[in-house]
Amino acid sequence: GGITLGADLPLDKDSTRWAGIKSATTPYALDAYFDREGYLVTEPQSDVSTTAPYFVFGADDDTDGATTAERSVTDTNVFNDLVVRSSNSDAETAGIAPMSRWQNVDPDSPTAISRIGRRSNTYESDLFLTKADTDAYLATWKKTAALETWEMTFGFRFLPWLEVGKVIELLDTDNENVPARYLLTDIDAPIGIGAVSGTGKRLTIIT
């Protein structure tokens, strides 16, 4: 199965193939990656909070435990002023491209402009042809505009079938304020003798 993209995707002559792939998949909330056999895979982005983990580290202390684990958190993905617009010249009306904007002015919100200052972010795509397209993307984006970024780096025994793009869970903490599930984004498996390491990330909505 699959989907057909409903628009042409013009690219600059110096664009990389990977940039083209990401430009086509991001507006449709699709992940793109190469699996361990070298095949290009596109699939819906996993929701770390609701997707069942593909693998649980620590389910069996004798074989499945991570050897090391470190977590960090930042607020670099907290935004309260979002702009979505088309970069497709064919979509312009009287020289104006379709655009949608949202600003968090809710006085009760912990991430309102009045509380933390203005934090802006803009997303453009050639795939947006009408204001309805930019409105639809903005409606989804603003639900996750206030996000803490958690990152976990960990070491583990070599698991040849474990791939990036999968949701993993690490059972090493009883602190309910520290997330246990992450999206596996990187695996570093040296050819020679050495520890295997990985990086997992997740975004937590600030409420």
Side-chain angles (χ1 to χ4, degrees), residues 72-77 147-151 201-204:
S72 60
V73 61
T74 68
D75 65 353
T76 55
N77 282 302
L147 297 170
E148 288 181 327
T149 303
W150 285 84
E151 181 170 311
K201 296 182 179 180
R202 70 170 289 156
L203 301 173
T204 302

Side-chain angles (χ1 to χ4, degrees), residues 98-119:
M99 185 188 76
S100 302
R101 186 177 187 179
W102 169 80
Q103 299 178 83
N104 185 355
V105 295
D106 181 359
D108 296 326
S109 171
T111 59
I113 294 174
S114 60
R115 292 196 176 195
I116 65 172
R118 187 177 300 276
R119 298 189 181 187

Side-chain angles (χ1 to χ4, degrees), residues 79-158:
F79 301 104
N80 50 28
D81 181 10
L82 303 178
V83 174
V84 178
R85 61 189 175 207
S86 173
S87 54
N88 192 327
S89 60
D90 293 335
E92 295 181 357
T93 302
I96 300 175
M99 185 188 76
S100 302
R101 186 177 187 179
W102 169 80
Q103 299 178 83
N104 185 355
V105 295
D106 181 359
D108 296 326
S109 171
T111 59
I113 294 174
S114 60
R115 292 196 176 195
I116 65 172
R118 187 177 300 276
R119 298 189 181 187
S120 304
N121 198 5
T122 300
Y123 182 75
E124 296 183 350
S125 175
D126 289 321
L127 299 179
F128 299 140
L129 301 179
T130 66
K131 192 174 187 305
D133 292 337
T134 58
D135 284 345
Y137 188 90
L138 181 63
T140 300
W141 191 18
K142 71 181 183 181
K143 293 178 182 178
T144 57
L147 297 170
E148 288 181 327
T149 303
W150 285 84
E151 181 170 311
M152 175 186 66
T153 56
F154 62 104
F156 58 98
R157 68 186 184 86
F158 183 57

Side-chain angles (χ1 to χ4, degrees), residues 41-99:
V41 178
T42 58
E43 60 185 11
Q45 293 175 351
S46 298
D47 185 337
V48 176
S49 62
T50 59
T51 302
Y54 181 75
F55 187 77
V56 179
F57 288 95
D60 184 336
D61 291 336
D62 293 333
T63 59
D64 295 338
T67 57
T68 59
E70 296 182 359
R71 295 178 174 87
S72 60
V73 61
T74 68
D75 65 353
T76 55
N77 282 302
V78 175
F79 301 104
N80 50 28
D81 181 10
L82 303 178
V83 174
V84 178
R85 61 189 175 207
S86 173
S87 54
N88 192 327
S89 60
D90 293 335
E92 295 181 357
T93 302
I96 300 175
M99 185 188 76

